[in-house]
Amino acid sequence: MSSFSALHSLAVAAVRRAYQLTSSVFNRLVKNETLTKGDKPPVTVGDYPAEAVISSILHHAFPGDPIVGEEDEEAKLLSDRIIGLANEALTAELGLRDSTTWGIGPGQVKSAEGLLDAIDRGSHPGGRDGRMRTIDPIDEVKGFLRGEQHAVCLSLIIDAKVQLGVIGCPNLPVDPAAPETRIGCVFTAVRGHGAQQLTLNGSNPTPLINPQTTPETLNFLESVEAAHSSHSFNDCVLSILNITRPPTRMDSQAKYCCLARGKGGTYLRMPTGVAYREKIWDHAPGQVLVEEAGGVVTDSRGEPLDFGLGRTLGEYFGVIAMGKGAYSLVLAAVREALNETKAKV
């Protein structure tokens, strides 16, 4: 991992400071500090400063890397709060493998203009060539507001291929077999060098190996929000596969993390409408994580996800993420369900 080691440590540090910020915001969240963006998910005062923190750290260390993320003019409506929260996270004591050269640590206060500019850097259009980062500071906001699963996500894409992914999950159990013991962990993957789970402070790296999925052990992970993925389609696939176990519903890219460590057999996310487009930042870190753990991530046609089409995955054919053992079986069931759906139209 030599060529990516410093970059990997920086990415973990950026995500760690961001989720410490979002956890702090949740614990002291005030209802009238919540914005809404039309019919989009609610955006809290945690979203913008978390993006400012990650973007500021990345820009300090790698000023030439563009960022694809959710920049928004509404951030300026909360500028005083954003500045305070972001600087609180950026100036916190150095943690494991942190470096002051990244613009973090005591005394590293950023100006209001600098932090708001950091948010605005997320407007890069994406594309097929060159380096770019994706940031999702709170994925999924509704899960965050419920105090359930959400994630802070970061990736590095080079020439349309995801090379590095970091996902911080403040509410995911460290040990899925003992969910009441400790919660909160970080998942990382570097292309060609495997995937691992870390503690919230970035220590105790544990390699992740996705076990071989079999039809007998297969179960489904799906989004909590029906607007994000067709639950009825998933039910049809389950019926074709003769699986009676109910799916596990979970917000955010924490689903990819569960798959990578062998908890959950298949993450199936099918479109709810013909005009739907998935953002690349919602899948880039999870894709490299699952693949480096030994799993597979494709669309419903069996094709790899294409991260070179811009800010979205283009015409959306859904996502199938799972262990390799029963992939062909699930893909065949998805195709059968698609044919059944078309026949009913």
Side-chain angles (χ1 to χ4, degrees):
M1 198 192 297
S2 57
S3 62
F4 283 104
S5 59
L7 194 154
H8 176 265
S9 296
L10 178 141
V12 171
V15 167
R16 186 170 67 237
R17 287 182 182 253
Y19 68 60
Q20 287 169 346
L21 183 157
T22 59
S23 295
S24 174
V25 168
F26 177 79
N27 290 332
R28 61 193 188 193
L29 188 66
V30 179
K31 187 176 181 180
N32 62 12
E33 289 181 323
T34 301
L35 295 178
T36 58
K37 295 196 296 188
D39 58 354
K40 299 179 182 179
V43 177
T44 73
V45 291
D47 203 20
Y48 297 125
E51 180 159 359
V53 166
I54 298 174
S55 177
S56 178
I57 293 172
L58 292 178
H59 185 70
H60 198 93
F62 297 95
D65 283 4
I67 294 172
V68 183
E70 295 186 280
E71 51 85 28
D72 200 299
E73 287 298 313
E74 288 181 356
K76 294 177 174 59
L77 298 176
L78 293 171
S79 58
D80 289 342
R81 175 63 86 177
I82 286 173
I83 293 161
L85 288 168
N87 272 320
E88 185 178 310
L90 288 167
T91 59
E93 294 293 331
L94 294 178
L96 185 66
R97 291 186 288 275
D98 281 355
S99 171
T100 57
T101 61
W102 302 336
I104 57 177
Q108 302 260 25
V109 177
K110 304 299 185 291
S111 68
E113 181 180 6
L115 290 172
L116 291 173
D117 284 347
I119 296 172
D120 288 340
R121 288 190 198 108
S123 60
H124 185 69
R128 190 149 309 275
D129 301 318
R131 291 166 58 102
M132 65 193 75
R133 314 294 183 113
T134 70
I135 297 176
D136 197 346
I138 300 181
D139 171 40
E140 144 78 33
V141 174
K142 288 185 178 179
F144 169 74
L145 291 173
R146 289 194 301 266
E148 298 174 357
Q149 295 306 327
H150 61 283
V152 179
C153 307
L154 172 64
S155 78
L156 170 67
I157 299 174
I158 302 178
D159 296 334
K161 193 174 185 66
V162 187
Q163 297 293 338
L164 179 147
V166 179
I167 304 175
C169 299
N171 290 337
L172 201 64
V174 173
D175 182 357
E180 303 303 322
T181 53
R182 281 194 302 160
I183 64 168
C185 32
V186 181
F187 298 82
T188 73
V190 176
R191 180 72 64 186
H193 295 279
Q196 58 186 2
Q197 176 181 320
L198 311 172
T199 62
L200 280 180
N201 67 3
S203 65
N204 193 30
T206 303
L208 297 176
I209 300 176
N210 185 282
Q212 288 298 310
T213 310
T214 66
E216 293 74 25
T217 62
L218 194 63
N219 65 293
F220 274 30
L221 286 163
E222 64 183 20
S223 301
V224 173
E225 301 293 331
H228 294 173
S229 179
S230 176
H231 289 171
S232 60
F233 184 89
N234 288 8
D235 290 342
C236 182
V237 174
L238 287 169
S239 177
I240 292 169
L241 293 169
N242 293 315
I243 295 174
T244 58
R245 292 179 293 278
T248 299
R249 290 181 178 171
M250 181 184 299
D251 291 302
S252 82
Q253 289 186 67
K255 293 185 286 293
Y256 281 117
C257 299
C258 287
L259 284 178
R261 68 182 185 184
K263 184 67 174 178
T266 298
Y267 171 28
L268 181 58
R269 184 180 177 102
M270 296 298 288
T272 57
V274 293
Y276 188 75
R277 296 290 185 271
E278 286 280 358
K279 305 297 191 298
I280 62 172
W281 55 79
D282 285 326
H283 296 281
Q287 183 235 29
V288 69
L289 180 70
V290 169
E291 290 185 347
E292 284 301 307
V296 58
V297 182
T298 71
D299 64 21
S300 63
R301 305 168 302 172
E303 298 293 330
L305 304 185
D306 190 344
F307 293 94
L309 299 174
R311 292 171 63 85
T312 76
L313 293 173
E315 186 177 358
Y316 183 52
F317 297 96
V319 173
I320 304 172
M322 60 182 298
K324 293 180 179 178
Y327 170 73
S328 59
L329 185 71
V330 171
L331 181 61
V334 168
R335 288 172 174 168
E336 183 177 339
L338 285 169
N339 289 334
E340 289 183 10
T341 302
K342 292 177 183 176
K344 294 176 182 178
V345 176

